[in-house]
Amino acid sequence: MHVVARHHHIERALQSEAAVSTLELARALRVSQETIRRDLIQLEEKGRLRRVYGGAVMLHRQQSSEPPFTERARINTQAKQVVGNVAARIAAESKTIFIDVGTTAQAAARSLAPFFTGTIVSHSLLVALEISSNSQADLILAPGRLRRGEWSLSGTATHNFIKTMHFDIALLSCGGVDGVAGATDFDFDDAEVKRTVAQQSTEAFILADSSKHGVVGSHSIGDWFDVNGIITDRDPPHGLLARIKAVGGSVCLPTEERTMKRKH
């Protein structure tokens, strides 16, 4: 296939899925992955896409930052609570749960608080508030430096503390989820904590309401084989759903019961 035709195919695929995989493009176009990588470089130089690990995304899906916390707290509140309710159902029988920072993680803590009696570990002051005010659970708050305006703790102390613990299940927030880029976030320290927590957990799930489907942040949390799946409020796009299923992960929705359990 001529280079111009390949470029048209890649751009049409991006318009359909918002992200494309180098491997899948190579198979579809019957060329080498190196040829596709050169095509992606050329299209990026023309300002038509942004390359990410394993492929490329549409420019408007690649973001370097997110709105301030006060603004995020007012966005998609109902969808976030739906995600939080599903997360609470999935984690209900665990003994030790890690709950991440952010408003969706806070929604999960709010759902868990009335009935959970095990141990909850977090570096979120908002999670701590939910648990301490309405729960009999044991709460362990990780140490760290206060991120002003984010109601969370981060830094070397947080990371080192988490490395000493093990969790039955981790509920991890994110900035975006994508079939090619995986789960991503916007803060370097937070992404590093999430990666470590996933390694220290028997199971780890990404919390992502549908507004985060197809969004790619600045820092990688991990590919889909690094976690057990996603908890969300509605069906993800086909490319994202296919990638999660391809590695044996779960897509947990409010209308479905959990059907599988995959350990790291």
Side-chain angles (χ1 to χ4, degrees):
M1 182 180 288
H2 190 270
V3 60
V4 174
R6 291 200 308 272
H7 287 188
H8 285 162
H9 178 94
I10 292 170
E11 291 189 73
R12 285 196 300 271
L14 273 173
Q15 290 171 359
S16 173
E17 291 291 340
V20 290
S21 160
T22 302
L23 176 60
E24 291 174 357
L25 287 172
R27 288 174 175 172
L29 298 175
R30 298 184 179 181
V31 296
S32 69
Q33 291 188 61
E34 185 57 38
T35 296
I36 295 298
R37 291 189 187 98
R38 288 196 297 268
D39 289 338
L40 296 181
I41 290 172
Q42 292 169 8
L43 288 169
E44 184 177 47
E45 289 173 347
K46 294 177 181 179
R48 309 306 292 270
L49 54 77
R50 179 68 56 84
R51 287 184 300 143
V52 297
Y53 181 78
V57 298
M58 293 182 69
L59 285 175
H60 77 276
R61 291 293 188 177
Q62 176 80 33
Q63 299 180 15
S64 59
S65 63
E66 59 184 345
F69 178 86
T70 52
E71 183 177 338
R72 300 199 309 274
R74 298 192 296 267
I75 298 174
N76 297 322
T77 54
Q78 184 175 358
K80 290 174 182 177
Q81 191 57 59
V82 168
V83 173
N85 294 343
V86 177
R89 186 192 75 213
I90 290 172
E93 297 181 4
S94 303
K95 295 186 181 303
T96 303
I97 304 173
F98 180 89
I99 304 181
D100 205 3
V101 300
T103 51
T104 311
Q106 182 187 13
R110 185 180 303 120
S111 294
L112 274 166
F115 66 87
F116 186 71
T117 57
T119 299
I120 290 176
V121 182
S122 185
H123 57 132
S124 165
L125 300 182
L126 295 175
V127 168
L129 181 63
E130 296 288 348
I131 300 303
S132 63
S133 62
N134 193 29
S135 178
Q136 297 300 310
D138 289 329
L139 173 67
I140 299 176
L141 189 61
R145 182 186 68 254
L146 177 66
R147 288 185 64 201
R148 297 189 182 279
E150 292 292 328
W151 296 91
S152 64
L153 303 165
S154 66
T156 302
T158 310
H159 191 246
N160 288 342
F161 176 82
I162 286 169
K163 286 194 294 186
T164 68
M165 301 201 69
H166 176 80
F167 313 102
D168 295 326
I169 191 168
L171 305 176
L172 302 176
S173 59
C174 68
V177 288
D178 177 78
V180 175
T184 55
D185 211 344
F186 297 99
D187 182 81
F188 175 83
D189 286 336
D190 277 355
E192 186 177 30
V193 166
K194 297 174 204 296
R195 289 193 297 269
T196 299
V197 169
Q199 293 169 1
Q200 299 294 107
S201 303
T202 302
E203 296 183 284
F205 288 89
I206 300 296
L207 309 179
D209 71 82
S210 51
S211 70
K212 296 182 179 180
H213 295 174
V215 175
V216 179
S218 309
H219 304 286
S220 174
I221 298 171
D223 201 346
W224 292 111
F225 53 73
D226 296 316
V227 296
N228 293 81
I230 181 176
I231 301 173
T232 187
D233 60 310
R234 64 178 63 177
D235 287 324
H238 173 73
L240 174 56
L241 178 63
R243 176 57 181 165
I244 296 172
K245 294 295 187 181
V247 298
S250 300
V251 176
C252 305
L253 297 163
T255 56
E256 296 180 0
E257 292 298 322
R258 189 171 170 200
T259 58
M260 65 182 302
K261 185 172 182 178
R262 175 171 60 87
K263 293 186 178 181
H264 292 283

